[in-house]
Amino acid sequence: MSDLVAAAESMKKTERFTRANWVAELASRAGLLIAILAVIAYGSIANPAFFSTGNFVNVLTSMSIVGIVVVGMTFVLVVGGLADLSVPATIACGAILSLGLQPMIGPVPAFVVAIALAGVIGMLNGALVGYAGVNPIIATLGVGTVGLGIVQAAVGGVIVYGTNPASAELVKGRILGIPTVVIIFAVIALIGHFILSRSYWGRWTTATGGNYSAAQASAVPVRAVKAGAFVITGIAAGISGGLLGLTLQSARPLVGTGYEFSAITAVVVGGVSIMGGFGSVPRAIAGLIFVQLLTNVMVLEGVRTPVQGFVLGILIAGAVGMDAALRKRGGG
Amino acid sequence: MTEAHCALDMRGITKTFPGVKALSNVNFKVKFGTVHAVVGENGAGKSTLMKVLNGTYAPTSGTIHIADKEVRMRRPADAQALGIRMVHQEINLVPDLSVAENVFLGRMPGRMGYLHRSEMIARTTAILEELGAVVKPRERLGDLSISQQQLVEIAKAYAANPRIIVLDEPTSSLSDHETAALFRILRKMRDDGIAIIYISHRVKEVLQIADEVTVLRDGAMIETRPISGITSAEMIRLMVGRDVSNVFPKTPATVGEPVLKVENISDGVHFRDVSFEVRAGEILGLTGLVGAGRTEVAQTIFGLSKLVEGKVSLNGRTLSIATPADAVRAGIAYVPEDRKGDGIIPEMTIRENISLPILRKLSRIGRISGSADRALAGKYVKQFAISPPDGERRINLLSGGNQQKAVIAKWLAAKPSVLILDEPTRGVDVGAKAEIHNIIGRLVGEGMAVLMISSELPEVMGVCDRVVVMRDGRASAPLSREELSEEKIMTLATDEEAA
């Protein structure tokens, strides 16, 4: 399986740095698609439980929460901001606040406040990375830890439970047969895609990641653009956390653990460059779909958890390694 | 070789890069126990020749003999093994290590991983004393002044017992006093029998220190002469001495009112007290040697570095510019020197590159108008004959000349009232060069004020209406077209008294 991924990846990346040939371009877009279809084909043959509406809805639902983070994380990678490691803390923030504030201000205001605070965390990250020039890994790790500490202290308890069943019903419910979270994810993905590919802010984001000093010399407000990517990720992680809290009806500080890794894996496997300047939301989501389906097949096939981690780890290291190698070769 | 004292003999060295002949049949011979200067304009081939000598480049043809034996060098380590040491213009040391550790970096005395610190210190002390340098071996390198660091660099080269030392513009960061100290050290090394190759622009210093001088021009060896047989005027003439034919047609334009005016500006580091004005319909040339502060002046006007003192005004209005965005709003555009580094976003298309500075104007409620974006690119691709004529091509797939045209287009789209061009034709082929000059000529004809930085004298003389020469961060009074001569510019650029 990973051979196929590697082949698809290499097709796509080679094209990117050599020729703007539409055949190669098509192959590059199709690469990940082929990999996804291959996983589906394998899953269908290997396990009867795989190819069923129920399973796909499950995959889609579990994908949606992390998918919202993926949309934000795409901006961070494209702008050349490496990664946002404050995501687990921001998700916890969103989950704890949206549940914990319910008795005081009601479910909707609680949700809004949670997202606003997540945005503030994003602004802190952005200020440190974009304006102060701190390494993104260190900045987001530090801000995340501090943010989580403050929320824990403010809420007091270790685990917070939901008190408003109506809001839980809404989030867990379906609209026209489609789970609400999936719809929310789709809307956010569309907005993210629009911003990155059609708005001047998105063009600025790609330009800043592609060549920071040239973008600066072209009157792009590079610092603000870089900071903005972290604000977007902060808000996305806040929404994600809020929905997670409402779905689970309980939130503990470690509720967001692992989401940063899942999001980064999806974005990188989708072919978004970790060095910035290249990538789109649909690509990242294709990466997410592939990883989620692969994980789903492994779970159904009874692959043990450590082995699953092993596969995903190789996938991310391989994708990043390929990006670096191709960038070096075709860089000039 | 017949001469017993020949340290280095490079014969018929030719080096070609795709599309460029950097060196053409260069013969270069250096004797042991002499200081041999290599002089020439920017781009004459001095650094290429030295890169061939230190194994960075393999010559396309020609042979190299060291101490009368033919050698082949594939990498810098081979050159080092043969006793060739380079002292680069930029300091190449580790600031957090001590002086002694730097001198012995990579060759520390010791056995099986155990470092003989005391031996290293003793040997460093001896070398520094021998060179007459007042630096302590235990000092942290980063705490030393630039000139002291340069001495450590030389001590490091000397400690390796070299046969040939190459110094590339060693005095560019030194004061007169420090230069004198450096010269004492060079004479000492020369008397030890080392062959010293001294690369410099500075004619006056070459006359002081060198025994022999070789002049390079346009990649060819022009002449080698003993220093006693040459005057500074002759040397400048040999360096320049090319026919200034009319390769650069000058389009006539009516010169109007001053547009950009800078008065006594300084950035506190690279230049001070620079004043000039650029008028509508005029190309003002800003020339001088590399490192004279020209680019820094342009970047300061454009808001890329900080203005410490002085005043910049545009159309009579004093500007306060903190970022490039401010400059663009005010009506200043800047085509940078380093096209790859500052000019283009390599993975974006021609279209995306061109519209970058004015994206907001092409957008409504945040959304870029696709048709306006494409129309803008299409207009300039056609107007500038960018090849291939397809705005959707990724810009890094274009030739240097076409990339440069796209970068100029990017700025014209912003409709500036003054255009600053920093080495606009560096690294582009002859055809594209003429096209770029035509574009500039047309702009000036339409009343644009252009400030053009260029190191290439024929270009400066052919294209510019007036020329300001910079030397060591100071600007000369502008020379009018009638006053222009290559000799005059070179003298202003190199000679301390004349400026």
Side-chain angles (χ1 to χ4, degrees):
Chain A
M1 188 55 55
S2 51
D3 277 359
L4 219 161
V5 185
E9 281 292 296
S10 94
M11 249 196 291
K12 170 172 52 227
K13 299 281 179 58
T14 315
E15 171 273 329
R16 201 169 112 201
F17 295 110
T18 50
R19 299 207 68 86
N21 177 321
W22 71 270
V23 181
E25 188 90 28
L26 199 74
S28 98
R29 301 229 164 138
L32 202 51
L33 211 64
I34 293 168
I36 290 169
L37 291 176
V39 177
I40 293 175
Y42 174 80
S44 313
I45 296 163
N47 197 310
F50 177 79
F51 202 87
S52 65
T53 318
N55 185 47
F56 284 155
V57 167
N58 275 342
V59 171
L60 218 57
T61 310
S62 74
M63 189 180 104
S64 296
I65 301 280
V66 67
I68 294 167
V69 181
V70 165
V71 174
M73 197 68 95
T74 306
F75 281 81
V76 168
L77 268 83
V78 170
V79 86
L82 292 177
D84 184 345
L85 298 186
S86 71
V87 160
T90 316
I91 286 180
C93 237
I96 290 175
L97 286 178
S98 63
L99 293 182
L101 293 178
Q102 274 179 355
M104 288 160 258
I105 56 176
V108 175
F111 194 70
V112 171
V113 168
I115 293 167
L117 201 85
V120 170
I121 293 179
M123 274 162 77
L124 280 174
N125 284 330
L128 286 175
V129 176
Y131 290 88
V134 180
N135 179 302
I137 303 292
I138 306 301
T140 55
L141 207 55
V143 167
T145 312
V146 172
L148 191 58
I150 291 172
V151 170
Q152 271 180 280
V155 174
V158 177
I159 298 185
V160 181
Y161 293 98
T163 52
N164 185 303
S167 64
E169 283 315 307
L170 181 72
V171 171
K172 283 194 268 192
R174 295 183 178 203
I175 300 171
L176 300 171
I178 305 164
T180 314
V181 282
V182 176
I183 290 172
I184 294 174
F185 164 55
V187 168
I188 288 171
L190 278 174
I191 294 173
H193 178 53
F194 170 81
I195 293 176
L196 192 54
S197 70
R198 297 267 184 278
S199 78
Y200 67 81
W201 190 270
R203 188 78 64 79
W204 281 352
T205 302
T206 312
T208 303
N211 185 344
Y212 186 88
S213 48
Q216 186 181 28
S218 302
V220 174
V222 281
R223 292 158 175 245
V225 170
K226 208 159 193 179
F230 287 91
V231 177
I232 291 171
T233 307
I235 291 171
I239 295 173
S240 182
L243 293 175
L244 190 64
L246 292 175
T247 309
L248 300 173
Q249 283 299 305
S250 73
R252 48 195 181 88
L254 296 182
V255 68
T257 309
Y259 275 78
E260 83 286 22
F261 181 76
S262 304
I264 293 166
T265 308
V267 176
V268 169
V269 168
V272 174
S273 174
I274 196 147
M275 283 165 264
F278 181 84
S280 70
V281 172
R283 266 175 190 279
I285 290 174
L288 174 70
I289 292 173
F290 175 70
V291 172
Q292 292 286 320
L293 286 176
L294 190 66
T295 311
N296 180 244
V297 169
M298 287 195 289
V299 171
L300 290 177
E301 285 295 278
V303 175
R304 285 180 300 126
T305 314
V307 180
Q308 290 179 23
F310 182 77
V311 170
L312 292 179
I314 287 183
L315 213 55
I316 191 170
V320 173
M322 194 130 44
D323 188 37
L326 288 164
R327 179 74 66 125
K328 203 182 266 175
R329 180 141 46 91
Chain B
M1 273 306 298
T2 45
E3 278 178 75
H5 298 302
C6 205
L8 170 70
D9 186 2
M10 299 174 88
R11 296 183 204 165
I13 301 287
T14 296
K15 175 70 191 168
T16 52
F17 295 102
V20 196
K21 202 166 201 177
L23 292 173
S24 141
N25 196 25
V26 170
N27 292 305
F28 180 55
K29 207 185 273 188
V30 182
K31 301 189 195 86
F32 279 123
T34 60
V35 175
H36 194 122
V38 178
V39 298
E41 283 183 89
N42 301 328
K46 296 175 305 225
S47 53
T48 311
L49 186 66
M50 291 309 122
K51 281 179 178 166
V52 169
L53 175 59
N54 86 341
T56 307
Y57 295 151
T60 311
S61 64
T63 55
I64 302 170
H65 302 252
I66 306 270
D68 303 341
K69 243 174 50 203
E70 184 171 345
V71 296
R72 257 170 213 287
M73 293 173 288
R74 290 174 204 286
R75 55 187 79 86
D78 296 345
Q80 292 190 2
L82 287 163
I84 301 169
R85 292 282 152 171
M86 292 274 284
V87 176
H88 293 276
Q89 198 172 351
E90 324 77 65
I91 307 285
N92 235 333
L93 300 168
V94 188
D96 284 323
L97 291 181
S98 73
V99 169
E101 284 162 334
N102 268 292
V103 167
F104 283 96
L105 199 63
R107 311 175 296 111
M108 296 198 182
R111 198 182 294 164
M112 291 172 63
Y114 173 75
L115 175 68
H116 270 295
R117 183 172 293 274
S118 54
E119 188 193 327
M120 185 173 79
I121 302 254
R123 278 166 61 184
T124 306
T125 312
I127 289 163
L128 291 170
E129 255 170 33
E130 207 179 325
L131 293 176
V134 219
V135 179
K136 291 192 186 68
R138 285 176 204 274
E139 253 174 301
R140 183 179 160 273
L141 187 94
D143 295 338
L144 302 179
S145 70
I146 294 293
S147 58
Q148 286 173 316
Q149 293 188 20
Q150 187 128 34
L151 290 179
V152 173
E153 187 97 73
I154 291 169
K156 181 184 170 189
Y158 185 66
N161 281 321
R163 295 191 282 185
I164 300 169
I165 290 188
V166 181
L167 295 117
D168 188 0
E169 298 280 352
T171 57
S172 54
S173 56
L174 301 188
S175 69
D176 289 354
H177 178 72
E178 290 160 342
T179 303
L182 172 73
F183 284 180
R184 270 200 305 279
I185 290 171
L186 293 188
R187 291 199 183 97
K188 161 92 183 58
M189 295 199 293
R190 176 191 67 191
D191 296 343
D192 288 349
I194 298 174
I196 296 163
I197 299 172
Y198 187 89
I199 297 171
S200 182
H201 287 299
R202 302 189 183 190
V203 171
K204 206 176 105 197
E205 286 175 12
V206 168
L207 289 170
Q208 268 179 42
I209 185 71
D211 301 303
E212 282 189 298
V213 58
T214 291
V215 182
L216 293 180
R217 188 206 313 149
D218 298 333
M221 205 279 277
I222 301 302
E223 223 177 313
T224 297
R225 279 208 215 170
I227 208 74
S228 51
I230 197 166
T231 65
S232 76
E234 267 179 296
M235 214 186 297
I236 289 178
R237 201 169 54 239
L238 286 173
M239 280 158 71
V240 178
R242 130 176 35 75
D243 241 22
V244 193
S245 60
N246 213 4
V247 237
F248 305 98
K250 175 88 187 105
T251 9
T254 17
V255 174
E257 291 296 301
V259 177
L260 175 74
K261 202 166 172 183
V262 305
E263 290 161 83
N264 310 100
I265 59 167
S266 307
D267 75 343
V269 188
H270 303 98
F271 62 89
R272 56 214 144 109
D273 229 4
V274 170
S275 303
F276 55 78
E277 56 180 40
V278 193
R279 299 176 222 156
E282 163 188 73
I283 304 176
L284 178 72
L286 191 57
T287 189
L289 302 173
V290 169
R294 301 164 307 172
T295 296
E296 288 79 2
V297 168
Q299 292 188 336
T300 305
I301 295 172
F302 192 62
L304 280 168
S305 30
K306 210 175 157 210
L307 178 69
V308 173
E309 257 175 79
K311 198 170 111 182
V312 177
S313 50
L314 197 70
N315 295 321
R317 221 157 32 87
T318 304
L319 303 178
S320 107
I321 289 171
T323 66
D326 296 340
V328 172
R329 261 195 297 280
I332 302 174
Y334 172 60
V335 175
E337 177 183 15
D338 180 2
R339 186 173 57 245
K340 279 216 159 65
D342 304 322
I344 60 167
I345 316 286
E347 286 184 31
M348 284 187 149
T349 62
I350 300 172
R351 168 177 57 81
E352 290 168 327
N353 269 282
I354 288 179
S355 58
L356 197 54
I358 55 157
L359 266 185
R360 268 171 106 153
K361 283 192 202 137
L362 299 181
S363 306
R364 281 187 59 191
I365 350 170
R367 181 179 175 276
I368 302 167
S369 154
S371 56
D373 194 14
R374 278 190 298 275
L376 182 78
K379 176 181 150 199
Y380 284 107
V381 165
K382 201 164 146 216
Q383 194 180 329
F384 289 180
I386 292 173
S387 153
D390 174 8
E392 300 308 310
R393 281 302 173 100
R394 238 161 250 150
I395 198 164
N396 59 346
L397 304 175
L398 270 55
S399 71
N402 282 299
Q403 289 183 5
Q404 188 69 301
K405 287 195 264 179
V407 174
I408 296 174
K410 167 170 96 173
W411 285 115
L412 294 183
K415 299 208 182 351
S417 45
V418 58
L419 177 64
I420 305 173
L421 299 156
D422 197 348
E423 301 281 1
T425 61
R426 170 173 293 173
V428 310
D429 60 75
V430 183
K433 206 168 197 165
E435 286 181 61
I436 290 170
H437 287 140
N438 273 331
I439 291 170
I440 300 171
R442 229 183 307 151
L443 293 173
V444 172
E446 290 161 12
M448 173 96 71
V450 172
L451 174 64
M452 185 175 89
I453 299 174
S454 175
S455 301
E456 207 183 312
L457 289 187
E459 179 176 73
V460 170
M461 307 222 9
V463 173
C464 300
D465 296 287
R466 294 183 304 141
V467 174
V468 170
V469 183
M470 287 195 71
R471 192 190 69 80
D472 285 348
R474 299 281 195 155
S476 76
L479 303 170
S480 68
R481 251 183 114 66
E482 295 73 47
E483 297 172 275
L484 280 185
S485 73
E486 297 211 12
E487 283 79 3
K488 183 140 194 184
I489 294 175
M490 276 311 270
T491 311
L492 281 172
T494 55
D495 205 357
E496 286 160 43
E497 281 82 50

